[in-house]
Structure formats: structure tokens, C-alpha cells
């Protein structure tokens, strides 16, 4: 089943209400993708006790991997939406829409961490 993937949009253009909805929806889709990946991995583990072709096991694992990748993308979208909602002036500067100021744009300390985690860490969230 192919689910639509998060698209690259300039979140800096969206208002706080839309960003809040986007974050909520993305988190919901993240949780759904994690749940689907866990279900697929459970099937793979159960299949180890029963004869199942290696090809079929491989496809199940690939589908679980795809779900985890999707979950990671939704999680990143939710985090970006939260950042844009909490720091609209920085989001607009990052999008290139703000008027040029003399002070450099700096992110708050808690935002200075990598946005991407490996898939293993994404599965634990």
C-alpha cells in the first residue's frame, strides 16, 4: 500500500493554526506508520516459526523498512512545523521571505540538534 509521503513545502509561509494542524496530523501519521512497521515485523518474527519463503520474508522486511522511513519523514515534518509555529520570524528568514536585518538569525539552543536520526532511533519513538 503506497501512502502519500510528506511533501517539501515552505512551512514559513503558513500561519500558526495551519502549522498546529500540520504538526498534529504529521504526528498521527508518524504513529500510524510506526504501528504498521511493528505489525509487519511481528509477522516476520512469527514467520520464522513457520515455513515461509525467504523472498516473502524479504518483502515483509522491506515493507517494514519503508514504513519506518515514512514515519521518520512524518516526524521531521512535525518537528519542522513545530519549529515554524514557535519561531515564525526565524522560519520566514530561513524561507528567505524576511526583510534583511543586521542581526544574524540564530536558532534557540534546544533547536540546535540534528533533525535526522537513524531509522533505529525513529522506531523507538
Amino acid at each position: 500500500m503506497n501512502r502519500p509521503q510528506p511533501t517539501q513545502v515552505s512551512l514559513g509561509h503558513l500561519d500558526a493554526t495551519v502549522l498546529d494542524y500540520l504538526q498534529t496530523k504529521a504526528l498521527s501519521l508518524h504513529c500510524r506508520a510506526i504501528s504498521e512497521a511493528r505489525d509487519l515485523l511481528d509477522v516476520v518474527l512469527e514467520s520464522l516459526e513457520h515455513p515461509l519463503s525467504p523472498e516473502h520474508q524479504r518483502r515483509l522486511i522491506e515493507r517494514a523498512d519503508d514504513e519506518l522511513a515514512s514515519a521518520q519523514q512524518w516526524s521531521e515534518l512535525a518537528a519542522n512545523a513545530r519549529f515554524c509555529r514557535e519561531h515564525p520570524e526565524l522560519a520566514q528568514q530561513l524561507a528567505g521571505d524576511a526583510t534583511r536585518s543586521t542581526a544574524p538569525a540564530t536558532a534557540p539552543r534546544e533547536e540546535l540538534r540534528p533533525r535526522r536520526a537513524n531509522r533505529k532511533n525513529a522506531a523507538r519513538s
Side-chain angles (χ1 to χ4, degrees), residues 6-122:
T7 58
Q8 297 295 333
V9 295
S10 179
L11 299 178
H13 298 288
L14 303 176
D15 66 26
T17 305
V18 174
L19 288 168
D20 189 44
Y21 173 77
L22 182 61
Q23 179 187 2
T24 302
K25 187 68 174 175
L27 286 175
S28 172
L29 292 169
H30 164 83
C31 291
R32 183 184 300 169
I34 290 291
S35 177
E36 182 69 21
R38 284 184 180 143
D39 290 346
L40 287 166
L41 291 173
D42 285 343
V43 171
V44 170
L45 289 174
E46 288 176 17
S47 73
L48 295 175
E49 299 173 3
H50 306 286
L52 190 63
S53 74
E55 177 64 22
H56 190 71
Q57 287 179 341
R58 183 185 61 76
R59 283 189 303 225
L60 286 171
I61 292 170
E62 285 175 352
R63 282 185 55 207
D65 188 54
D66 290 345
E67 289 295 331
L68 291 174
S70 175
Q72 179 64 28
Q73 290 175 327
W74 288 119
S75 177
E76 288 175 5
L77 181 63
N80 289 336
R82 188 191 89 232
F83 175 84
C84 291
R85 189 185 74 240
E86 293 173 355
H87 310 286
E89 63 289 336
L90 285 175
Q92 287 181 351
Q93 285 180 1
L94 291 172
D97 293 339
T99 58
R100 202 175 265 286
S101 70
T102 56
T106 56
R109 186 95 176 130
E110 70 272 8
E111 295 298 330
L112 294 175
R113 60 179 185 246
R115 288 274 182 219
R116 289 195 242 173
N118 63 33
R119 288 184 181 164
K120 187 185 300 183
N121 289 339

